[in-house]
Amino acid sequence: QVQLVESGGGLVQAGGSLRLSCAASERFTALNRMGWYRQAPGKQRELVALIFSGGTTTYADSVKGRFTISRDSAKNMVYLQMNSLKPEDTGVYYCNARPRVFGRDDYWGQGTQVTVSS
């Protein structure tokens, strides 16, 4: 089974930065896209950023201009650079991968906690 392991979460003051990492056990060639989702307390999980197989990226409006998703295909790693963090960015961040095989369930990591203090 494909495994995704997140790291890099922690506590940071508003205006600070964090860099999240996701290590995948599967080759990126077997994945249609990689991304990051987050879930704040009392809220549903929401999309943060995606990077597709061709390198195209997309971001939630709330993080545009502040977050950057990138990948290192040779290492099967995906990153999320988070700058100018706000308290509303607080939540559990999950790495996500979508298989190229249509209809197969997405893969999810266990999540890493990000807490931004005001």
Side-chain angles (χ1 to χ4, degrees):
Q1 295 185 1
V2 173
Q3 293 181 320
L4 303 175
V5 181
E6 304 97 333
S7 62
L11 175 65
V12 65
Q13 293 181 338
S17 299
L18 284 174
R19 181 179 174 86
L20 305 183
S21 299
C22 174
S25 65
E26 181 65 272
R27 298 186 307 161
F28 285 175
T29 54
L31 303 170
N32 179 261
R33 74 189 200 197
M34 300 286 293
W36 291 93
Y37 290 71
R38 69 186 180 189
Q39 187 166 20
K43 295 184 178 180
Q44 292 184 319
R45 187 175 300 185
E46 64 175 349
L47 172 67
V48 176
L50 296 173
I51 184 164
F52 296 87
S53 59
T56 301
T57 59
T58 186
Y59 298 90
D61 288 342
S62 60
V63 307
K64 286 181 179 178
R66 300 188 297 119
F67 291 11
T68 302
I69 187 170
S70 61
R71 68 186 179 192
D72 185 338
S73 297
K75 297 181 178 180
N76 292 339
M77 296 286 292
V78 176
Y79 307 96
L80 184 68
Q81 179 66 46
M82 305 186 294
N83 299 325
S84 301
L85 283 162
K86 304 175 181 179
E88 50 263 44
D89 294 319
T90 294
V92 179
Y93 283 68
Y94 298 91
C95 186
N96 165 268
R98 179 159 293 181
R100 287 191 177 276
V101 179
F102 186 83
R104 184 175 294 179
D105 289 344
D106 283 9
Y107 303 113
W108 294 92
Q110 294 296 318
T112 185
Q113 177 70 44
V114 172
T115 302
V116 184
S117 61
S118 59

